[in-house]
Amino acid sequence: MADRNPSGSITEGANSLRFAERLFSARVLHRYRPLLVNIETTLRCNLACTFCDKASPHGPQMDTERACRLIDDLAGAGTCSVCFDGGEPLLHPGI
């Protein structure tokens, strides 16, 4: 069982161990799976950052059901981390 800190969440050490186990499985045992994934749910953004080349106030958005299926598939494959990226993910109506 993983060590827990006073707030009840799994400590960084346990997360690092899980990542290392999955990395070992991929590299040595040739059981490949996506370990770290970025999902662009929307390219919409309410900011106008001069350095950003992705965001658009009227950009496309991923279908909510498709995003949920993708997350379920990634969890089933053993993905360690999913990051929501793109424009501003909180502008997506499904989040």
Side-chain angles (χ1 to χ4, degrees):
M1 176 135 180
D3 295 327
R4 296 192 178 269
N5 64 22
S7 68
S9 63
I10 297 175
T11 62
E12 286 297 317
N15 287 334
S16 296
L17 179 60
R18 186 176 327 136
F19 180 77
E21 288 171 347
R22 290 180 181 169
L23 186 60
F24 173 82
S25 177
R27 300 283 189 207
V28 176
L29 304 177
H30 303 289
R31 295 181 187 154
Y32 298 105
R33 65 188 60 140
L35 295 176
L36 309 169
V37 176
N38 286 0
I39 299 175
E40 293 182 348
T41 57
T42 183
L43 293 181
R44 295 181 185 184
C45 186
N46 53 347
L47 301 176
C49 302
T50 57
F51 58 84
C52 184
D53 63 348
K54 286 188 188 180
S56 167
H58 306 291
Q61 297 192 109
M62 180 181 272
D63 179 63
T64 302
E65 289 181 26
R66 181 177 177 210
C68 290
R69 281 194 312 271
L70 178 60
I71 292 168
D72 289 342
D73 291 346
L74 291 169
T79 299
C80 294
S81 175
V82 175
C83 177
F84 294 98
D85 198 0
E88 172 52 60
L90 295 176
L91 289 179
H92 191 286
I95 295 180

